Amino acid sequence: MQITAEGRTALRIQVSIWRTLLLVLLSLTGLRGVEVQAQSKETLTNDQIVQMISGKVPDEIVLAKVRSTNPGYDLSSAGMVRLTVSKVPRDIIKAMIMSAYEYVAADAGPSSSTESALTNDGVIQMYTGGVARVLIDLKISTSKTEFDLSPTGLVKLSENKIPKDLIRDMMQPPVLPAAKKPSVLAVE
């Protein structure tokens, strides 16, 4: 059976329509991002981020790299302080946190059952280490937490000069669903 030129044109149009519909469907369900992440072999680390910043790679390029590679970051409290001390811009650290969160939330990364919890000591370490408040808030909202909010715990936070609004944030229930919290954001 031979297909005419008109038939081939109609077939191409149908294939194009189905391909477009499939891409729209994948982008709406988020599966397209999972496929891209799963295919990416390269893993980006804190040291590589610092190397790019020290080497004066433009922030836009670093952000694109963060978004296009698998996260292998140390986003523990100590890791966050090291990034801050290394002068990694806030937007890049924020992108690193979100990249790690999305990677695990898409089931492309390690199980959250191995995640260490963010504690009072971790918040104190980040705050006294100069980590930007917005990053501490993001870290709290994307991490498993085990804060000691007993009178003793609250006294320790106050003695370390943790601002009262940050302590109030620690008292709030997690913003993000517990089932989707990333283990790559592990802390102490």
Side-chain angles (χ1 to χ4, degrees):
M1 175 177 187
Q2 200 141 5
I3 299 176
T4 65
E6 293 172 3
R8 274 192 292 267
T9 301
L11 187 58
R12 282 189 199 125
I13 291 171
Q14 285 180 333
V15 168
S16 178
I17 289 171
W18 281 108
R19 185 178 298 144
T20 302
L21 287 173
L22 181 59
L23 288 174
V24 167
L25 180 63
L26 289 174
S27 66
L28 290 175
T29 61
L31 294 176
R32 184 175 179 194
V34 172
E35 179 182 305
V36 170
Q37 281 183 330
Q39 289 176 356
S40 178
K41 300 269 190 234
E42 185 178 9
T43 300
L44 201 56
T45 66
N46 290 29
D47 290 340
Q48 292 168 320
I49 295 286
V50 171
Q51 178 185 15
M52 287 186 283
I53 297 303
S54 299
K56 309 248 187 264
V57 174
D59 289 359
E60 300 81 37
I61 302 298
V62 177
L63 284 168
K65 189 73 170 169
V66 166
R67 292 180 183 126
S68 67
T69 56
N70 293 335
Y73 316 121
D74 171 10
L75 295 173
S76 66
S77 297
M80 297 280 289
V81 170
R82 281 191 295 276
L83 289 166
T84 300
V85 169
S86 298
K87 300 189 183 327
V88 175
R90 289 180 190 173
D91 287 346
I92 293 172
I93 298 173
K94 182 179 177 183
M96 292 168 68
I97 294 170
M98 292 311 299
S99 172
Y101 173 78
E102 292 165 359
Y103 184 74
V104 174
D107 290 328
S111 164
S112 62
S113 63
T114 61
E115 173 185 0
S116 296
L118 180 60
T119 63
N120 292 27
D121 289 337
V123 172
I124 291 168
Q125 183 179 17
M126 287 188 289
Y127 185 77
T128 59
V131 175
R133 170 64 195 272
V134 67
L135 297 175
I136 297 172
D137 283 336
L138 183 60
K139 185 76 173 127
I140 289 170
S141 69
T142 59
S143 297
K144 176 180 171 187
T145 60
E146 289 181 9
F147 297 128
D148 175 5
L149 300 172
S150 69
T152 303
L154 293 172
V155 167
K156 184 175 179 182
L157 291 167
S158 292
E159 287 174 346
N160 282 280
K161 302 192 181 344
I162 302 302
K164 61 184 172 190
D165 56 331
L166 183 55
I167 295 171
R168 263 188 254 129
D169 291 346
M170 293 169 66
M171 298 172 99
Q172 298 300 314
V175 175
L176 300 172
K180 292 191 171 190
K181 290 190 178 181
S183 63
V184 281
L185 296 181
V187 294
E188 294 67 36

